[in-house]
Amino acid sequence: IERDKVEILLRKPINMIQAAGNKHLSDIQNALTLAESQVKVLEMPDDELEDREDQLAKAERKLNRKIDSLHLSLEEVIVEVTSRFRNKAEDALDKMIDGSRDRAEKKIGFFGGGRKDVYSYIQDQFAQLETRKLPRLQDDALNRLKIEGNRVLQDFKVDVEDVLERYLPDDVDAKGLIKSLSRLLGTEDGDNHFSIDQGGSSADSSIGFFEGVAIAFALPFIGVIEGVNALFGGRGREARRELIDQLYAIRRTVDFAPMQQQLKDLLQERMESIRTHLIGELIVPLQSQIEEVRKDKTNKAKKLEDARTEIKLQSEKKAVLLEQQRSITELATSVLTSSASGN
């Protein structure tokens, strides 16, 4: 258990470094793509510029539709998974509270006899709910979210790849952009895009599509277990009545609506990030290049020289960052392996 805790502490900063590196690499790839496109646009005749503009407009429309569809599909997954989790968790809570109420009614006598045994029983039931039943339900829900999310995101990646290869100009590196998108989704060169940071899952080393999603599942129960401490007061029939009232009060405090909304808010953030990456940082700048060339045809030689200089600069940056990432990955693997072995 101690080794697991150490691994959790080590994995979090590693994940953050990898995520930051992936974002930086995506930015470099976009800058490189735009510089290469600038060279091509500056060398194009007007009729080819018009064709290029039409293709980019088609790409923008189709990508926006794909992103909207992705948003709806993932939101459906969230609603389905959280609703199922809510029902099972509420059932577990209801069962515990009903059992505790029955125990109190049967075991606490007129003068308070049996009260200590009932309190001990209730504490044990709350502890089981906190440490066993709810964590199992949470793990099941997170796994389902991950499986269904992976399926939806894999379909999205295939669709985007088709749009980019079909509508982007031939001089734009579609494969590089697809790799960049994979990094943004959470995993490069693999099918596991909907990774979830649960604060220490050893099976997943990426920050994931929903960082901290597990927190949303735990939030409804924060403070519930502590509420058992408020149950111990009064005497005899008073103790029994107060105990039952407070058990029902605890049930009323558990609210799952914020959990589902929190996940939807996280999803909204990720959708905006994807839209910015594909549209705002790629398609729109490519379209702007065409407008700029049409408006200002002076200093073409200087602009070509600047664009080629930018290509060289971004290519060098990309090579350096890829090497740094390789070194970090090797170091992280070594550290985590050493931690797992207890060294």
Side-chain angles (χ1 to χ4, degrees):
I1 295 175
E2 196 62 35
R3 284 202 299 269
D4 291 341
K5 290 181 179 179
V6 171
E7 183 180 347
I8 290 171
L9 291 173
L10 290 172
R11 189 174 291 280
K12 190 70 174 182
I14 291 172
N15 289 347
M16 293 176 66
I17 292 170
Q18 289 175 333
N22 285 339
K23 177 63 171 67
H24 189 34
L25 197 55
S26 296
D27 292 342
I28 290 174
Q29 180 62 51
N30 270 6
L32 180 59
T33 297
L34 292 175
E36 291 171 340
S37 174
Q38 179 77 346
V39 170
K40 193 72 175 178
V41 167
L42 286 168
E43 294 175 339
M44 274 185 177
D46 289 345
D47 58 334
E48 289 186 21
L49 284 178
E50 188 172 343
D51 290 340
R52 188 182 185 91
E53 190 173 42
D54 290 342
Q55 290 297 96
L56 288 172
K58 290 177 182 177
E60 181 180 10
R61 287 195 300 272
K62 290 184 178 294
L63 286 174
N64 272 317
R65 283 201 291 267
K66 296 298 181 186
I67 295 169
D68 290 340
S69 177
L70 173 67
H71 193 169
L72 289 174
S73 295
L74 288 178
E75 192 165 275
E76 288 176 1
V77 170
I78 287 173
V79 171
E80 191 275 330
V81 170
T82 55
S83 296
R84 184 183 302 178
F85 171 77
R86 171 182 178 171
N87 291 337
K88 291 184 177 181
E90 285 183 341
D91 286 346
L93 183 63
D94 287 347
K95 184 177 180 181
M96 187 276 298
I97 288 176
D98 290 343
S100 298
R101 178 203 62 203
D102 292 343
R103 189 90 167 193
E105 289 176 342
K106 292 177 182 178
K107 298 296 184 180
I108 298 180
F110 185 84
F111 295 106
R115 184 176 59 179
K116 289 184 178 179
D117 288 341
V118 171
Y119 289 164
S120 178
Y121 170 82
I122 293 175
Q123 283 181 315
D124 180 65
Q125 292 300 301
F126 268 95
Q128 286 191 44
L129 187 70
E130 179 186 27
T131 61
R132 294 176 59 188
K133 295 176 183 177
L134 293 181
R136 287 173 183 172
L137 291 176
Q138 177 180 308
D139 287 344
D140 287 344
L142 289 171
N143 286 334
R144 175 55 53 187
L145 189 64
K146 189 171 183 177
I147 290 169
E148 293 300 318
N150 275 331
R151 177 184 57 78
V152 172
L153 279 173
Q154 180 61 20
D155 290 343
F156 172 72
K157 184 188 172 186
V158 171
D159 289 344
V160 169
E161 184 174 352
D162 179 65
V163 171
L164 294 180
E165 290 182 344
R166 182 176 298 185
Y167 294 102
L168 285 191
D170 293 338
D171 56 280
V172 175
D173 181 11
K175 292 188 185 307
L177 293 170
I178 292 164
K179 282 188 177 182
S180 178
L181 176 64
S182 292
R183 296 186 194 105
L184 188 65
L185 295 177
T187 303
E188 185 182 6
D189 297 330
D191 293 336
N192 187 28
H193 300 286
F194 202 84
S195 48
I196 297 173
D197 178 15
Q198 298 184 40
S201 171
S202 60
D204 189 358
S205 62
S206 69
I207 285 295
F209 195 79
F210 280 150
E211 180 182 3
V213 68
I215 296 173
F217 283 87
L219 278 177
F221 295 100
I222 292 176
V224 170
I225 307 306
E226 289 81 353
V228 75
N229 295 324
L231 299 176
F232 307 132
R235 295 181 179 179
R237 285 180 297 181
E238 265 185 41
R240 186 168 57 200
R241 186 181 66 252
E242 288 180 10
L243 174 65
I244 293 171
D245 289 345
Q246 290 175 35
L247 283 170
Y248 286 140
I250 288 175
R251 176 187 279 165
R252 290 192 296 272
T253 63
V254 179
D255 183 9
F256 288 86
M259 174 190 68
Q260 189 175 103
Q261 188 57 49
Q262 185 185 13
L263 293 179
K264 288 182 179 181
D265 291 343
L266 285 168
L267 176 62
Q268 180 66 37
E269 291 176 13
R270 300 304 288 147
M271 290 300 101
E272 290 304 316
S273 178
I274 290 174
R275 198 182 301 276
T276 297
H277 180 73
L278 289 173
I279 307 297
E281 296 176 355
L282 175 63
I283 301 298
V284 172
L286 288 172
Q287 292 169 327
S288 297
Q289 286 179 343
I290 297 173
E291 286 298 314
E292 290 170 6
V293 168
R294 281 180 175 153
K295 290 179 181 178
D296 183 11
K297 297 187 178 182
T298 61
N299 300 320
K300 184 176 288 189
K302 178 65 167 61
K303 292 175 183 176
L304 278 169
E305 181 184 350
D306 290 345
R308 290 182 176 124
T309 300
E310 181 70 6
I311 290 172
K312 182 180 178 182
L313 174 64
Q314 296 301 334
S315 296
E316 291 172 351
K317 283 184 178 180
K318 182 178 179 180
V320 169
L321 185 53
L322 285 171
E323 179 59 28
Q324 289 175 343
Q325 285 192 317
R326 185 190 65 78
S327 298
I328 290 172
T329 299
E330 289 180 356
L331 178 61
T333 301
S334 175
V335 170
L336 292 174
T337 301
S338 176
S339 169
S341 64
N343 295 329

